[in-house]
């Protein structure tokens, strides 16, 4: 009886160990290009917020002459 239970437990442990094996995937060049494009787009958008963001004031370009 004990021998059958030990075999069952050993089988469950072996199945659990098999699930822990991590399969390494190769890095994708397309994913790297996508991440670079996303970073570049975010940088341009953040620069736009700084340039034309709230609190930016454009002076009136008309010139006044005083004598």
């Amino acid at each position: 009886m004990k021998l059958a239970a030990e075999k069952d437990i050993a089988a469950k442990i072996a199945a659990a160990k098999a699930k822990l094996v991590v399969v390494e995937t190769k890095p994708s060049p397309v994913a790297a290009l996508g991440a670079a494009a996303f970073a570049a787009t975010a940088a341009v958008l953040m620069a736009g917020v700084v340039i034309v963001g709230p609190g930016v004031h454009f002076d009136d370009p008309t010139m006044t002459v005083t004598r």
Side-chain angles (χ1 to χ4, degrees):
M1 189 93 148
K2 188 175 182 182
L3 188 60
E6 287 177 356
K7 286 182 181 178
D8 187 39
I9 291 172
K12 288 181 181 181
I13 290 174
K17 284 183 181 179
K19 290 180 181 180
L20 291 175
V21 174
V22 177
V23 178
E24 293 186 22
T25 58
K26 295 181 180 178
S28 171
V30 176
L33 287 175
F38 180 72
T41 303
V44 169
L45 290 176
M46 285 188 285
V49 168
V50 169
I51 294 171
V52 191
V56 175
H57 177 70
F58 295 103
D59 293 329
D60 189 17
T62 56
M63 193 167 136
T64 57
V65 178
T66 59
R67 289 189 178 181

